[in-house]
């Protein structure tokens, strides 16, 4: 993408911001001109937040992979597109130029077509962090199939829910994955899920561990047998700007995770523009984001944003502490990484291992270091700035969500002012407001409120898969005329935003989102459990951890055994990433007279803020609070 889109000074940012607010259609129309379209749009934007109806670049035709791959071949054909670093530092890394990546994507795209996948079909991807994961996303996009990536830590039950909700025709998976010293099965988990997924016709299995997994005749095919002989060219399917590009399931405060839908045109423009500006990417830079492509950060800032910009993007299979807690810093020195993006959880866990691991590496190449996915505390921010950034690099704190598709509030490389724990200013085109309880905009500074958006941006979600009403109710109904993020935020006198955290029943554990209802439903699958209530509480490394209050049917003879059973049920229904750290057995829960659980009280108990529990006289059974406090873990 042309560097004409790059903002180079703070004054220029202010100017652009103003323009983007005064005339969004002109602003985004000019940015969109930089991309390759098969047919130009009739209108830049058509919207209302009531239905909601959100259309960007309507009437235009494009294929995002033409923009992420083909467009670069002439000038960047031999430039590295993807560098893959394996879990084990002794294993060989993989590097693909733009030409090579293009060829790999086309080969898989041809295989998908041959196996019956057509435009609009859904393909679920359940893979380790290997190049084939990025290739799978792009191959789907090449032929207009809608990808739905499922993080490889989710259980078979979660896969089943997602596959069935999307009515996926195909699954792409692997025998298993490496995670530090462990090897974890994937195909076996998929097999279990597919016992109850009638829509799936075929499965492609990549061989990562040489495990020779069970293969179902006529359904399962080895990657190398269906992909390797394919042609390296595959025409890019013309897509309407508003055709879905992908579904990504994410948790909310109620019910099962919902499928956030992103579309081709707006998502392309939004991810590329924000990538270029937030990281201030220069042509010869090497960029690395440590997220997993199972989450939105990996979609937007490992795959689409960087490749649309013609960047070199690093992908890492492993974990920060294997073989030792210097692994991230070793990789930065190995490839001369210039922009680095990670999560506060990773920073805090590495901080706990001491400075020596980071001081052993030069980190000279770094220019911009980013934090994303959860609020970063002051101590972690300062450690990151001092020991990783050597007080020389810009720290950018990116606030956004699966639903927003791209970064919304953040510093832009070294051109924006930095303030520890503050994400900063909105990106051009982003119009945040803080609302009070009554839904009125708060104008003052140094105040807190509900973080909402009063205007659309190109990469925003369009709907929730198969249930538009749910999208409307979740994001556009709390405050009429606004998109509600579910976060609370504070704005200082200079207009910088600090994200405080979720104000709904969503818990963010190590940057991973879970709904309390989702975890409670999993716990309640135990025969012996009558009712449960789950809340988040502060955790020094994970940001938040999960505390479960559980009522059992009969007297528990062996608490440890019962705890184990509850943990297993959460692991089975969701995945081990969602297991509660603390489980307290109780005889009742604090409820209002209408039967609603008072989570505020449970949160105070879990947070050890007993003094600020407040008035409990309106409860159905105020005594229960004393019991809960007495039994607190
Ligand atoms: O609560 C906010 C938190 O993560 C939520 C979004 O999670 P998810 O959809 O999984 O997307 C994660 C990747 C962007 C938000 O509602 N969050 C995300 N980034 C930040 C953050 N909280 C504070 N600071 C951030 N930079």
């Amino acid at each position: 993408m042309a560097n004409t889109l790059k903002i180079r000074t703070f004054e220029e940012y202010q100017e652009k911001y103003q323009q983007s607010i005064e005339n969004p259609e002109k602003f985004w129309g000019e940015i969109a001109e930089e991309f390759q379209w098969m047919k130009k749009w009739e209108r830049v934007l058509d919207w209302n937040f009531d239905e909601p109806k959100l259309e960007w670049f309507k009437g235009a035709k494009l294929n995002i992979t033409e923009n992420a791959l083909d467009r670069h071949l002439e000038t960047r054909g031999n430039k590295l597109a993807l560098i893959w670093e394996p879990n084990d530092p002794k294993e060989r890394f993989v590097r693909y130029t733009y030409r090579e990546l293009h060829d790999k994507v086309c080969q898989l795209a041809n295989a998908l077509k041959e196996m019956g996948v057509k435009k609009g079909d859904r393909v679920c991807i359940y893979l380790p962090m290997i190049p084939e994961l990025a290739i799978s996303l792009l191959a789907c996009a090449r032929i207009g199939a809608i990808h739905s990536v499922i993080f490889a830590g989710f259980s078979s039950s979660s896969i089943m829910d997602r596959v069935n909700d999307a009515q996926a025709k195909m699954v792409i998976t692997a025998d298993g994955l490496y995670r530090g010293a462990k090897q974890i099965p994937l195909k076996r988990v998929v097999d279990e899920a597919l016992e109850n997924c009638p829509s799936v016709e075929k499965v492609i299995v990549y061989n990562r561990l040489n495990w020779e997994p069970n293969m179902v005749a006529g359904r399962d095919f080895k990657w190398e047998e269906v992909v390797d002989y394919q042609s390296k060219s595959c025409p890019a399917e013309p897509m309407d700007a508003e055709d879905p590009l992908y579904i990504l399931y994410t948790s909310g405060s109620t019910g099962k995770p919902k499928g956030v839908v992103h579309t081709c045109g707006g998502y392309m423009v939004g991810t590329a523009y924000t990538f270029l500006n937030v990281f201030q990417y220069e042509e010869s830079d090497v960029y690395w984001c440590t997220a997993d492509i199972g989450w939105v950060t990996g979609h937007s800032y490992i795959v689409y944003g960087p490749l649309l910009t013609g960047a070199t993007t690093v992908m890492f299979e492993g974990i920060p502490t294997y073989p030792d807690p210097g692994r991230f810093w070793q990789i930065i020195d190995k490839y001369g990484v210039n922009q680095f993006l990670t999560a506060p959880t990773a920073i805090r866990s590495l901080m706990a291992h001491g400075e020596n691991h980071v001081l052993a590496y030069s980190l000279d190449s770094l220019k911009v270091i980013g934090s994303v996915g959860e609020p970063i505390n002051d101590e972690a921010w300062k450690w990151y700035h001092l020991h990783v950034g050597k007080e020389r690099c810009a720290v950018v704190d990116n606030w956004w969500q699966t639903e927003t598709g791209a970064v919304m509030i953040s510093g832009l490389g070294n051109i924006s002012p930095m303030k520890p724990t503050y994400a900063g200013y909105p990106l051009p085109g982003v119009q945040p407001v803080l609302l009070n309880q009554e839904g009125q905009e708060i104008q003052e500074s140094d105040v807190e409120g509900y973080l909402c958006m009063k205007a659309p941006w190109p990469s925003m979600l369009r709907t929730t898969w198969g249930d538009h009403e749910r999208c409307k109710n979740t994001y556009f109904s709390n405050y009429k005329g606004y998109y509600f993020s579910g976060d609370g935020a504070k704005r200082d006198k200079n207009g910088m935003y600090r994200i405080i955290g979720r104000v709904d029943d969503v818990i963010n554990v190590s940057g991973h989102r879970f709904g309390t209802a989702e975890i409670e439903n999993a716990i309640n699958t135990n025969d012996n459990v009558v009712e449960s209530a789950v809340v988040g509480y502060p955790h020094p490394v994970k940001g938040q951890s999960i505390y479960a209050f559980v009522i059992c049917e009969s007297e528990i003879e062996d608490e440890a055994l019962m705890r184990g059973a509850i943990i297993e049920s959460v692991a089975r229904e969701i995945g081990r990433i969602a297991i509660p750290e603390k489980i307290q057995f109780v005889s009742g829960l604090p409820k209002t007279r209408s039967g609603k659980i008072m989570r505020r009280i449970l949160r105070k108990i879990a947070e050890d803020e007993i003094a600020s529990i407040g008035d409990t006289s309106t409860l159905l059974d105020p005594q229960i609070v004393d019991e809960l406090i007495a039994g607190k873990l």
Side-chain angles (χ1 to χ4, degrees):
M1 193 169 50
N3 276 352
T4 48
L5 295 187
K6 192 186 251 170
I7 301 168
R8 293 183 186 276
T9 63
F10 191 61
E11 291 66 38
E12 200 186 328
Y13 155 75
Q14 288 171 314
E15 246 170 65
K16 290 267 189 243
Y17 187 78
Q18 210 47 41
Q19 289 167 10
S20 76
I21 303 307
E22 280 161 12
N23 193 344
E25 300 195 27
K26 180 166 181 287
F27 178 80
W28 288 112
E30 280 171 13
I31 292 173
E33 293 284 356
E34 297 288 332
F35 295 82
Q36 192 173 312
W37 303 84
M38 296 166 179
K39 180 171 168 261
K40 221 182 139 176
W41 51 90
E42 284 140 25
R43 284 193 70 167
V44 172
L45 172 63
D46 203 0
W47 71 288
N48 71 64
F49 274 179
D50 298 327
E51 294 176 49
K53 177 180 162 193
L54 307 151
E55 291 176 332
W56 285 89
F57 311 111
K58 185 130 187 259
K61 293 227 181 263
L62 77 150
N63 187 291
I64 197 167
T65 68
E66 249 184 13
N67 284 274
L69 299 169
D70 308 56
R71 189 165 55 119
H72 305 308
L73 293 183
E74 204 175 306
T75 52
R76 301 185 178 110
N78 294 324
K79 176 176 173 174
L80 286 181
L82 184 73
I83 300 177
W84 175 76
E85 172 69 16
N87 175 65
D88 180 351
K90 292 195 214 78
E91 191 182 333
R92 256 188 83 73
F93 57 82
V94 170
R95 300 192 297 185
Y96 291 135
T97 62
Y98 270 93
R99 162 61 62 194
E100 289 165 335
L101 185 61
H102 166 274
D103 294 355
K104 295 270 174 205
V105 168
C106 285
Q107 284 190 300
L108 179 60
N110 283 325
L112 294 179
K113 278 209 287 201
E114 200 176 281
M115 294 170 86
V117 180
K118 296 193 186 65
K119 177 178 178 176
D121 287 343
R122 277 77 58 206
V123 174
C124 276
I125 301 171
Y126 187 71
L127 280 173
M129 277 291 284
I130 52 178
E132 288 69 22
L133 173 51
I135 291 166
S136 296
L137 269 66
L138 295 163
C140 287
R142 187 77 174 176
I143 62 167
I146 302 168
H147 58 75
S148 167
V149 182
I150 303 173
F151 173 64
F154 278 120
S155 67
S156 58
S157 172
S158 292
I159 300 173
M160 188 182 81
D161 288 345
R162 287 158 169 79
V163 166
N164 286 335
D165 188 75
Q167 286 292 296
K169 197 169 185 180
M170 176 179 270
V171 175
I172 306 178
T173 189
D175 48 354
L177 61 79
Y178 291 109
R179 192 180 153 73
K182 290 192 213 138
Q183 297 182 11
I184 297 170
L186 292 181
K187 176 63 167 52
R188 206 191 311 149
V189 184
V190 168
D191 281 347
E192 214 182 304
L194 294 193
E195 282 172 20
N196 298 302
C197 297
S199 64
V200 174
E201 294 169 10
K202 298 209 163 92
V203 180
I204 296 181
V205 186
Y206 186 82
N207 170 22
R208 176 70 188 117
L209 303 182
N210 277 324
W211 270 6
E212 294 294 335
N214 171 51
M215 299 290 279
V216 176
R219 186 194 73 180
D220 301 351
F221 298 86
K222 290 188 173 172
W223 177 291
E224 64 275 16
E225 287 173 9
V226 289
V227 176
D228 288 358
Y229 68 87
Q230 299 285 349
S231 150
K232 292 177 178 165
S233 102
C234 172
E237 184 72 30
M239 304 293 286
D240 282 339
E242 281 299 328
D243 277 338
L245 171 66
Y246 70 78
I247 307 172
L248 188 56
Y249 285 83
T250 192
S251 298
S253 22
T254 53
K256 288 197 184 286
K258 49 192 167 300
V260 165
V261 175
H262 284 293
T263 55
C264 299
Y267 182 80
M268 169 177 80
V269 172
T271 51
Y273 182 72
T274 51
F275 171 77
L276 180 70
N277 283 301
V278 167
F279 300 103
Q280 291 287 302
Y281 184 81
E282 295 285 338
E283 187 61 43
S284 56
D285 287 346
V286 175
Y287 160 88
W288 178 26
C289 165
T290 69
D292 191 294
I293 297 175
W295 310 105
V296 75
T297 307
H299 282 61
S300 300
Y301 297 107
I302 295 178
V303 182
Y304 289 109
L307 296 177
L308 286 163
T309 311
T312 300
T313 179
V314 178
M315 187 175 165
F316 174 43
E317 182 184 35
I319 56 171
T321 47
Y322 179 82
D324 64 58
R327 185 71 165 122
F328 275 4
W329 324 127
Q330 179 246 334
I331 296 172
I332 290 174
D333 275 5
K334 178 171 178 184
Y335 298 116
V337 171
N338 304 105
Q339 291 92 0
F340 175 68
L341 176 61
T342 195
T345 296
I347 300 169
R348 287 188 293 256
S349 90
L350 294 176
M351 242 169 93
H353 285 97
E355 272 94 80
N356 285 347
H357 295 284
V358 61
L359 296 178
Y361 298 93
S362 93
L363 308 184
D364 273 351
S365 54
L366 286 175
K367 297 190 280 193
V368 177
I369 55 176
S371 164
V372 65
E374 32 168 342
I376 181 161
N377 51 310
D378 192 61
E379 196 191 353
W381 194 101
K382 287 181 173 147
W383 187 90
Y384 195 36
H385 183 233
L386 175 65
H387 294 296
V388 181
K390 315 284 183 204
E391 294 184 312
R392 168 179 59 73
C393 298
V395 177
V396 290
D397 179 0
N398 308 161
W399 176 80
W400 59 295
Q401 310 177 292
T402 304
E403 294 85 346
T404 72
V407 175
M408 302 288 277
I409 301 179
S410 171
L412 307 181
N414 58 358
I415 68 179
S416 309
M418 287 191 290
K419 183 168 169 180
T421 76
Y422 276 71
Y425 294 101
L427 265 84
V430 174
Q431 297 191 50
V433 290
L434 296 180
L435 300 187
N436 63 18
Q437 294 274 8
E438 286 72 48
Q440 293 145 341
E441 285 187 27
I442 306 171
Q443 307 296 344
E444 299 84 13
S445 52
D446 270 327
V447 281
E448 286 180 17
Y450 299 126
L451 181 59
C452 294
M453 300 295 146
K454 65 194 254 182
W457 60 99
S459 64
M460 73 187 297
L461 87 162
R462 300 300 195 264
T463 187
T464 43
W465 184 258
D467 192 352
H468 194 63
E469 214 35 40
R470 193 165 176 204
C471 171
K472 176 178 168 171
N473 291 337
T474 313
Y475 308 107
F476 299 93
S477 298
N478 297 52
Y479 304 104
K480 216 176 148 27
Y482 297 93
Y483 164 85
F484 175 47
S485 69
D487 279 322
K490 180 178 176 177
R491 187 175 52 225
D492 75 3
K493 61 179 184 319
N494 298 317
M496 289 178 95
Y497 285 86
R498 174 186 187 169
I499 312 304
I500 294 158
R502 300 292 301 201
V503 293
D504 54 5
D505 289 323
V506 169
I507 307 177
N508 190 329
V509 185
S510 302
H512 304 155
R513 264 169 80 165
F514 301 104
T516 51
E518 199 185 343
I519 300 170
E520 288 158 8
N521 289 341
I523 294 176
N524 298 349
T525 59
N526 273 281
D527 285 345
N528 204 8
V529 170
V530 178
E531 198 179 5
S532 61
V534 157
V535 293
Y537 70 98
H539 185 279
V541 174
K542 298 177 186 174
Q544 277 190 300
S545 212
I546 298 166
Y547 196 119
F549 296 89
V550 181
I551 307 174
C552 287
E553 206 157 74
S554 47
E555 193 79 0
I556 306 163
E557 275 166 29
D558 186 337
E559 284 206 356
L561 205 66
M562 190 61 208
R563 274 200 187 91
I566 289 174
I567 287 172
E568 274 323 302
S569 59
V570 177
R572 188 183 61 240
E573 297 293 317
I574 307 174
R576 299 205 78 80
I577 44 176
I579 57 181
E581 182 126 338
K582 294 185 179 176
I583 300 169
Q584 181 179 348
F585 295 107
V586 296
S587 70
L589 292 165
K591 287 188 179 168
T592 60
R593 286 176 210 282
S594 59
K596 198 168 169 303
I597 297 174
M598 293 284 280
R599 287 174 191 283
R600 184 182 56 79
I601 294 178
L602 296 177
R603 252 181 248 126
K604 293 284 175 201
I605 295 171
E607 286 166 7
D608 241 338
E609 301 257 341
I610 312 293
S612 58
I613 282 183
D615 183 22
T616 56
S617 61
T618 57
L619 292 177
L620 198 59
D621 176 11
Q623 279 82 34
I624 199 70
V625 177
D626 298 329
E627 181 204 309
L628 300 193
I629 294 170
K632 190 195 165 316
L633 299 170

